[in-house]
Amino acid sequence: MTEGAVSGVPRRVLGRALRELRTGAGATLDGAAESLGWSRSRMSRIEGGGGRVRGADVRAVCERYDASPELTAALVTLAGEDGSAGWWHAHGGPLPAWFDVYAGLEADACRLREYQNGLIPALFQIHEYALRAEGRLPAGERDRVVGARLARQALLRRTLPAPPQVEVVLSEAALVRAVGDPAIGADQLRHLLEVGLLPHVSIRVLPFAAGVCAGVLAGSFVLLDFSPGDGAEPALPVAYQESAVGALYLDGPREVAVFERAWASFDPLVLDPDQSRILIEMILKEAGHDQS
């Protein structure tokens, strides 16, 4: 398998985790490289996900920064994960449930484009809505998942680095689907209106009358774009899709292009942000929950 044929997603996730270990310990890039006997460029390349890293090297970094045995095992596992057509992360696989692969990619992205045909996107969910959306999980697991999801929302209002540009296409079905009681649905829609006022957030609605397009047929998905890093390799975009049994991460140009076309297919069909806002307000009013 050639280097160009290998998915870079596990390396990117691993690099971010190693960088967080270093910065959490208050170490500089130069200081960390020196203590490990590495060059600065090698350390930078590994943290940027720009090259393969051996499990033994990952253990050395984890020992240097006193990582827990559980985290060390997870990162060593990532060092051995590669895929030619993409990377499949199964729920219940070798990585522990608390290791949130997607959250690291999301936090590093400079642009997020998401289509949701069933629910309000996780970045926009309120606590009560999120709890009921994960109602299938046992109570303890549900609280952990929802807590982690709400913590991710901090990126919408962070200052350094700048928050990503977030562009969302929502099926009208996601706006009217009952998740909990009507009061929760109304609070969720009001929160959606509030988040939509952020300058880096765009929310567009795909109305029922729009019919079917390539994006609808693709199912819910996220496209993540990344700023160019300081490494030698380009920061490739990633397409992400989740299912009941796991998540698929695709960063091959051919696969990503399929989702780019799916995203472009929404443009002539969706309402613009102002029209979408009016529709959301109308749904609130018709349900008798508007506060005007």
Side-chain angles (χ1 to χ4, degrees):
M1 183 183 297
T2 65
E3 179 72 16
V6 174
S7 173
V9 172
R11 295 200 303 265
R12 187 193 296 275
V13 174
L14 172 61
R16 176 183 174 81
L18 295 177
R19 185 171 73 247
E20 288 180 342
L21 276 176
R22 174 178 62 77
T23 57
T28 64
L29 189 66
D30 288 325
E34 182 178 356
S35 69
L36 291 163
W38 296 353
S39 67
R40 186 185 194 280
S41 61
R42 181 186 180 192
M43 191 79 191
S44 178
R45 184 173 64 253
I46 289 173
E47 289 190 358
R52 292 190 182 187
V53 56
R54 299 180 305 162
D57 292 334
V58 173
R59 288 190 184 276
V61 177
C62 289
E63 290 173 4
R64 171 70 177 78
Y65 297 116
D66 297 321
S68 69
E70 295 79 11
L71 178 58
T72 299
L75 298 186
V76 170
T77 296
L78 273 177
E81 292 278 341
D82 278 319
S84 58
W87 186 55
W88 173 255
H89 176 215
H91 300 323
L95 294 179
W98 50 260
F99 192 91
D100 195 336
V101 173
Y102 177 77
L105 292 173
E106 183 181 66
D108 279 348
C110 65
R111 184 187 185 197
L112 300 166
R113 288 172 287 167
E114 179 168 358
Y115 168 61
Q116 272 294 339
N117 61 10
L119 295 172
I120 302 300
L123 281 180
F124 300 159
Q125 290 179 8
I126 61 173
H127 182 262
E128 293 301 321
Y129 182 100
L131 280 176
R132 283 153 182 80
E134 296 294 346
R136 70 187 189 282
L137 297 175
E141 178 71 2
R142 182 169 66 246
D143 290 341
R144 182 195 66 78
V145 169
V146 170
R149 178 177 304 169
L150 297 181
R152 283 166 42 202
Q153 297 177 5
L155 70 82
L156 292 174
R157 291 179 169 84
R158 73 188 184 194
T159 54
L160 289 175
Q165 183 70 30
V166 181
E167 303 168 31
V168 168
V169 170
L170 273 177
S171 166
E172 187 175 346
L175 301 175
V176 299
R177 176 168 286 110
V179 178
D181 60 45
I184 291 172
D187 286 344
Q188 177 61 74
L189 291 184
R190 282 191 283 268
H191 181 69
L192 194 63
L193 291 170
E194 178 185 340
V195 174
L197 294 175
L198 294 173
H200 51 280
V201 172
S202 167
I203 297 173
R204 297 180 295 166
V205 176
L206 181 71
F208 288 128
V212 177
C213 63
V216 171
L217 295 175
S220 297
F221 65 90
V222 184
L223 281 165
L224 303 98
D225 295 292
F226 303 90
S227 298
D230 57 5
E233 295 188 11
L236 299 175
V238 172
Y240 168 84
Q241 278 194 306
E242 187 170 1
S243 74
V245 294
L248 181 62
Y249 299 83
L250 297 165
D251 57 351
R254 185 175 301 176
E255 292 82 9
V256 171
V258 171
F259 287 94
E260 291 281 3
R261 290 192 292 271
W263 182 262
S265 73
F266 292 127
D267 285 341
L269 302 174
V270 294
L271 304 178
D272 67 30
D274 289 336
Q275 294 169 330
S276 298
R277 186 176 188 85
I278 290 170
L279 177 58
I280 295 170
E281 291 171 341
M282 186 180 304
I283 292 171
L284 270 171
K285 184 176 182 179
E286 290 177 349
H289 289 288
D290 66 310
Q291 296 182 333
S292 56

